[in-house]
Amino acid sequence: MATVENLERTKTAKTRARKPAIAEVEADRIIEQDCVAAMASLPDACIDMVFADPPYNLQLGGDLFRPEGSMVDAVDDDWDKFDTFAIYDKFTRAWLKEARRILKPNGTLWVIGSYHNIFRVGAALQDEGYWILNDIVWRKANPMPNFRGTRFTNAHETMIWASKSEKAKYTFNYKTMKSLNDELQMRSDWLIPICAGQERIKDGGKKAHPTQKPEALLYRVMLASTKPGDVVLDPFFGTGTTGAVARRLGRKWIGVEREPRYCDVARKRIAEALPLDESALQTMRANEAQPKVPFGALIETEMLKPGAFLMDTKRRWKAEVRIDGTLVCGDKEGSIHKLGALLQDAPSCNGWTFWHFESGDGLQPIDTLREQYRLAHFP
Amino acid sequence: MATVENLERTKTAKTRARKPAIAEVEADRIIEQDCVAAMASLPDACIDMVFADPPYNLQLGGDLFRPEGSMVDAVDDDWDKFDTFAIYDKFTRAWLKEARRILKPNGTLWVIGSYHNIFRVGAALQDEGYWILNDIVWRKANPMPNFRGTRFTNAHETMIWASKSEKAKYTFNYKTMKSLNDELQMRSDWLIPICAGQERIKDGGKKAHPTQKPEALLYRVMLASTKPGDVVLDPFFGTGTTGAVARRLGRKWIGVEREPRYCDVARKRIAEALPLDESALQTMRANEAQPKVPFGALIETEMLKPGAFLMDTKRRWKAEVRIDGTLVCGDKEGSIHKLGALLQDAPSCNGWTFWHFESGDGLQPIDTLREQYRLAHFP
DNA sequence: AACAACGGTGAATCTGAGG
DNA sequence: TCCTCAGATTCACCGTTGT
């Protein structure tokens, strides 16, 4: 079926075969302008990688207070407000289209978002002709809890990594990623702390930008998908995390940012960005701590069945396992640790070694099940 | 006797009588039909939760995506990915629309997918009026490696959890989830092993279904978002994981599946899944609503005497108890909650945990008195 | 100097019953 | 529909202050 799009693609490919339409562009600068207009001012095919952190279109209700009474400092900036999904979609398609035009044929795009916007962005970029390579989950080591106990703690954000088209020969530094991950393939879920402490840029004592991303995240993104000397463009530059990391890693950068006060902060920050030292790279190794196995996981996987009975070594107490991972013994109930402490009238108790299950060889501590779980699932 | 429970039941019944929008439906059965047609045969508002694992492999059988009988030719060279997306979207909107119709007003929907389809599904469900509650990342403990080393190891899938509308009062068993996760809030990233070994259903030595989901995943989904006796519908039933887990957890189920050979496997499997005992199905008492005790009841029963003094933990404030159950501190007065908020200059305050009384063992929160009152009066 | 205790905070679509 | 009020609700990390 020879659609207009097909014809266009064929023609573009042929043109490129004759002369690679890759343009040079002035880099290491901030364009203080609206993101679509700024990208429109750049030539075709001049960018190696785009990293975009667009507005999430959060739709927050009233104020939210923590249990102890303090108020949560929410994102209420005007730049995050859109009246309808249709308007947000239009905005999204506009910047994705421009970004695709200025990307080199083998360039790639990264977008980060939350459930509020990422599905719309993902669908839009597929529609625009991008080819998704991976979706990456940024697991936050220290997310904000859900204070009202109404949902699951929102503990991650999603990034989409896409090439300009299906057949593109994009850059992926496989070995670099593998060595960064203790010689195991880098997975699609990354555990990285949120941006806080010294790294968080302050302006008059308050955070300079409500959604500053951690540099570790950009390090991994750039190390994975660009080469030294590549030009990285960030159409929602904010306080310039992308620029700072690009400079450290020897990549060129272009930032697009509308707000003058963010631009000022970014310029100062990037000027201060020191060349990369090895120790910084070491600390961002992807080594994760020994994975924690909650007692509930043994029940979900049926290593222990709800209704089973657990005992202490001397069979003094006998407790029944319930579906939610709590134990019940007479009129007392609680987690494996809590109930163990309660029954012994002790201040605390390690339930993993206190509770045992009946096996062919007599009583065995449930810790052996945790060990089995780890062996089976974390080779 | 008009207990709190009785009153509650009466009121619910009244509400239902006025708004009879909730229908009964025959459950614990497989409907051997196309998913949209099967759902169309069910009445409005009869389902408490939908779990859907829709197909996304666009290369296998283009005839999978025939929303309303519109014929689609098999995949061939003329196939264009824009057409493919359009057809997939149409299919997605069709089943999402039917699912929303048969969901009860406070029902919820779960969809699982990968980057191939989840963005389209997410955008479509937002467009259909669903309200996203969380996106949940299923982190695979043992994913398949990326053999060619061209991308990140695809180590997760994404689930979207959505209510029927923004204002819906959906079910979320917060305490159960917290228990299951060693007394920490359950996060949006779940580490669960893929379905393998004994659990993986074989048919003639080969796996019976290409995308069989682990029971542990469904276990957590159902435990989090349904109550015992709820009706769960799975429009892409496959080998019936949803049915097996529903039966085990005391939920009713309806499976929709077109392929007779999957239906046979599912029926056999579900028949073998034994329902858990009532005692094992219990969760922590904290999950249940406790009978309300007005502060004045403690004074009436002389558990606290008028004229007694209450303090916060740090003894910063000292308030006197009056006969009507109000407190007074200097020129400020009010209920235990109101005065606590007033003194702290906070928007709200839980007086039961804020105020303490002097006892032999130091300060104790008045909540312990409420606990005693409940034990004495609500056996 | 070392460690404990305490306070602040992060992209959040964050209550429910009753009048 | 809006208002009021009872009362349920938080994890990890960082920096500062106190012992």
Side-chain angles (χ1 to χ4, degrees):
Chain A
M1 187 169 56
T3 63
V4 174
E5 302 247 25
N6 275 335
L7 287 171
E8 207 161 81
R9 250 184 272 134
T10 312
K11 206 170 132 211
T12 311
K14 224 184 265 173
T15 310
R16 280 202 194 116
R18 254 184 280 122
K19 64 166 184 190
I22 293 175
E24 285 286 327
V25 67
E26 188 198 339
D28 300 338
R29 63 187 171 122
I30 300 177
I31 309 179
E32 223 169 306
Q33 211 176 346
D34 170 78
C35 82
V36 178
M39 288 193 282
S41 73
L42 300 177
D44 290 2
C46 64
I47 302 293
D48 293 287
M49 191 269 269
V50 170
F51 182 89
D53 182 9
Y56 286 9
N57 190 21
L58 300 183
Q59 293 158 56
L60 304 176
D63 292 336
L64 177 65
F65 294 90
R66 302 163 196 272
E68 106 277 9
S70 69
M71 198 174 85
V72 173
D73 186 13
V75 176
D76 57 356
D77 306 65
D78 284 339
W79 50 254
D80 196 47
K81 293 196 184 350
F82 296 82
D83 287 336
T84 62
F85 280 140
I87 291 169
Y88 186 78
D89 290 347
K90 199 174 164 194
F91 159 76
T92 301
R93 281 164 210 279
W95 74 257
L96 281 171
K97 202 181 196 80
E98 275 306 311
R100 189 155 182 268
R101 184 186 62 77
I102 62 176
L103 269 178
K104 294 180 187 174
N106 295 328
T108 59
L109 167 93
W110 289 81
V111 200
I112 184 166
S114 67
Y115 67 84
H116 309 86
N117 71 323
I118 198 67
F119 303 114
R120 315 204 72 83
V121 172
L125 69 81
Q126 286 180 314
D127 289 342
E128 290 297 326
Y130 288 94
W131 187 252
I132 298 182
L133 300 168
N134 276 116
D135 59 332
I136 300 291
V137 174
W138 167 29
R139 299 176 50 219
K140 300 181 184 184
N142 45 347
M144 197 183 328
N146 180 296
F147 296 113
R148 305 306 284 273
T150 55
R151 303 178 180 191
F152 298 98
T153 302
N154 217 323
H156 75 276
E157 292 187 26
T158 302
M159 292 189 289
I160 301 175
W161 181 39
S163 62
K164 194 168 168 176
S165 64
E166 184 179 350
K167 303 292 180 198
K169 302 211 191 313
Y170 55 90
T171 297
F172 177 56
N173 301 312
Y174 176 73
K175 288 255 174 73
T176 309
M177 286 298 105
K178 197 169 171 184
S179 60
L180 201 64
N181 194 36
D182 290 337
E183 294 308 316
L184 291 175
Q185 285 192 344
M186 185 69 83
R187 296 167 43 116
S188 56
D189 55 326
W190 302 355
L191 181 67
I192 291 176
I194 60 174
C195 179
Q198 294 284 14
E199 192 188 331
R200 190 91 196 191
I201 299 177
K202 297 279 168 43
D203 192 4
K206 295 193 338 193
K207 56 188 177 190
H209 193 283
T211 72
Q212 187 184 339
K213 295 291 174 288
E215 296 199 358
L217 193 71
L218 272 293
Y219 265 113
R220 202 177 291 181
V221 163
M222 263 180 239
L223 276 181
S225 62
T226 65
K227 297 190 176 80
D230 277 2
V231 182
V232 176
L233 180 135
D234 185 336
F236 306 96
F237 206 51
T239 50
T241 307
T242 304
V245 175
R247 181 158 185 228
R248 286 194 189 169
L249 290 177
R251 273 70 168 165
K252 293 183 209 137
W253 56 274
I254 298 176
V256 178
E257 178 54 55
R258 215 168 38 171
E259 295 281 338
R261 69 178 193 283
Y262 294 156
C263 293
D264 292 343
V265 172
R267 265 185 282 262
K268 182 156 171 287
R269 173 188 189 183
I270 295 166
E272 285 168 1
L274 303 170
L276 178 65
D277 67 47
E278 275 308 310
S279 64
L281 252 184
Q282 291 302 317
T283 57
M284 56 162 301
R285 280 191 166 273
N287 57 334
E288 298 190 12
Q290 172 84 311
K292 194 173 130 184
V293 179
F295 179 64
L298 303 187
I299 298 161
E300 287 176 337
T301 52
E302 290 214 300
M303 292 179 75
L304 259 182
K305 290 203 169 61
F309 285 96
L310 301 181
M311 285 142 286
D312 62 299
T313 38
K314 292 177 191 163
R315 297 173 191 272
R316 218 176 131 192
W317 295 288
K318 193 173 165 187
E320 187 180 6
V321 176
R322 296 193 296 199
I323 46 168
D324 61 351
T326 58
L327 302 184
V328 58
C329 173
D331 61 343
K332 294 190 176 67
E333 59 174 6
S335 69
I336 51 171
H337 312 293
K338 220 171 195 167
L339 186 64
L342 209 60
L343 292 171
Q344 295 181 95
D345 203 18
S348 67
C349 164
N350 182 350
W352 290 107
T353 51
F354 178 74
W355 292 108
H356 296 64
F357 64 97
E358 198 81 64
S359 81
D361 310 331
L363 290 183
Q364 285 211 23
I366 54 174
D367 205 24
T368 61
L369 296 178
R370 180 168 64 164
E371 212 35 62
Q372 278 176 36
Y373 186 96
R374 283 202 179 118
L375 283 172
H377 305 306
F378 310 105
Chain B
M1 186 175 60
T3 64
V4 174
E5 298 227 46
N6 279 332
L7 288 170
E8 207 161 81
R9 250 182 272 134
T10 311
K11 206 182 137 226
T12 311
K14 221 187 264 172
T15 311
R16 283 206 187 116
R18 237 187 296 124
K19 256 205 290 184
I22 294 176
E24 285 286 326
V25 68
E26 188 197 338
D28 300 338
R29 64 188 171 120
I30 300 178
I31 308 179
E32 227 170 302
Q33 211 175 347
D34 170 79
C35 85
V36 178
M39 288 193 282
S41 74
L42 299 176
D44 291 1
C46 63
I47 301 293
D48 293 287
M49 192 268 270
V50 170
F51 182 89
D53 181 10
Y56 59 83
N57 192 335
L58 305 183
Q59 305 310 314
L60 291 180
D63 61 339
L64 274 180
F65 314 120
R66 281 177 303 179
E68 292 101 23
S70 62
M71 190 58 190
V72 174
D73 292 331
V75 180
D76 59 30
D77 291 344
D78 290 336
W79 200 252
D80 184 280
K81 69 168 171 283
F82 298 99
D83 296 329
T84 308
F85 282 141
I87 289 161
Y88 189 79
D89 290 347
K90 200 175 167 192
F91 161 74
T92 301
R93 281 164 211 276
W95 74 258
L96 281 172
K97 203 181 194 80
E98 275 307 310
R100 188 153 182 271
R101 183 185 63 76
I102 63 176
L103 269 178
K104 293 180 187 173
N106 295 328
T108 59
L109 168 91
W110 289 81
V111 199
I112 184 166
S114 67
Y115 67 82
H116 303 92
N117 70 325
I118 199 66
F119 303 114
R120 315 206 71 83
V121 172
L125 69 83
Q126 286 181 313
D127 290 340
E128 290 296 326
Y130 288 95
W131 188 249
I132 299 182
L133 299 169
N134 277 116
D135 58 334
I136 300 290
V137 174
W138 167 29
R139 300 176 52 220
K140 301 181 185 181
N142 40 357
M144 193 185 311
N146 181 294
F147 294 113
R148 304 182 60 186
T150 54
R151 302 179 185 191
F152 297 96
T153 300
N154 220 318
H156 75 277
E157 290 187 28
T158 301
M159 292 190 289
I160 301 175
W161 182 39
S163 62
K164 194 169 166 174
S165 64
E166 180 178 353
K167 301 293 176 199
K169 299 191 201 317
Y170 54 91
T171 297
F172 177 55
N173 301 313
Y174 175 73
K175 282 274 171 62
T176 306
M177 285 299 102
K178 201 172 168 177
S179 296
L180 207 60
N181 193 37
D182 283 352
E183 295 305 317
L184 288 178
Q185 284 193 339
M186 188 69 82
R187 299 170 36 122
S188 57
D189 54 328
W190 300 356
L191 183 66
I192 290 177
I194 59 171
C195 179
Q198 293 284 13
E199 191 187 330
R200 187 95 203 190
I201 297 177
K202 297 278 171 34
D203 193 4
K206 298 199 313 196
K207 53 189 178 187
H209 195 278
T211 67
Q212 187 185 336
K213 295 291 174 285
E215 297 200 359
L217 193 71
L218 272 294
Y219 189 96
R220 197 177 293 183
V221 163
M222 260 179 242
L223 222 43
S225 61
T226 65
K227 299 190 176 81
D230 277 2
V231 182
V232 175
L233 179 135
D234 185 336
F236 307 96
F237 205 51
T239 52
T241 307
T242 304
V245 176
R247 176 148 192 244
R248 200 145 57 89
L249 291 179
R251 275 68 169 163
K252 292 182 210 138
W253 56 273
I254 298 175
V256 177
E257 177 55 53
R258 226 174 31 169
E259 291 286 335
R261 69 176 192 283
Y262 291 156
C263 293
D264 293 343
V265 172
R267 266 185 280 262
K268 182 159 172 287
R269 173 188 188 182
I270 295 165
E272 285 167 2
L274 296 177
L276 292 169
D277 287 342
E278 189 60 38
S279 62
L281 279 177
Q282 292 290 321
T283 53
M284 283 285 281
R285 270 199 295 268
N287 240 0
E288 302 156 20
Q290 298 262 41
K292 191 174 146 180
V293 177
F295 179 64
L298 304 187
I299 299 161
E300 288 168 350
T301 52
E302 291 215 303
M303 292 177 77
L304 260 181
K305 291 199 169 63
F309 284 97
L310 301 181
M311 286 142 285
D312 62 299
T313 38
K314 291 177 193 165
R315 299 172 191 272
R316 214 174 134 194
W317 294 288
K318 193 172 166 185
E320 188 179 1
V321 177
R322 296 193 294 203
I323 45 167
D324 62 351
T326 58
L327 302 184
V328 58
C329 173
D331 59 343
K332 294 187 176 71
E333 56 174 8
S335 71
I336 53 170
H337 312 293
K338 207 167 188 175
L339 185 63
L342 211 59
L343 293 170
Q344 295 180 95
D345 203 18
S348 70
C349 166
N350 183 347
W352 291 107
T353 51
F354 179 75
W355 292 109
H356 296 66
F357 64 95
E358 198 81 63
S359 84
D361 310 334
L363 290 183
Q364 284 210 26
I366 55 174
D367 206 23
T368 60
L369 297 177
R370 180 168 64 162
E371 208 39 60
Q372 282 175 31
Y373 185 95
R374 279 187 183 136
L375 285 171
H377 296 86
F378 306 100

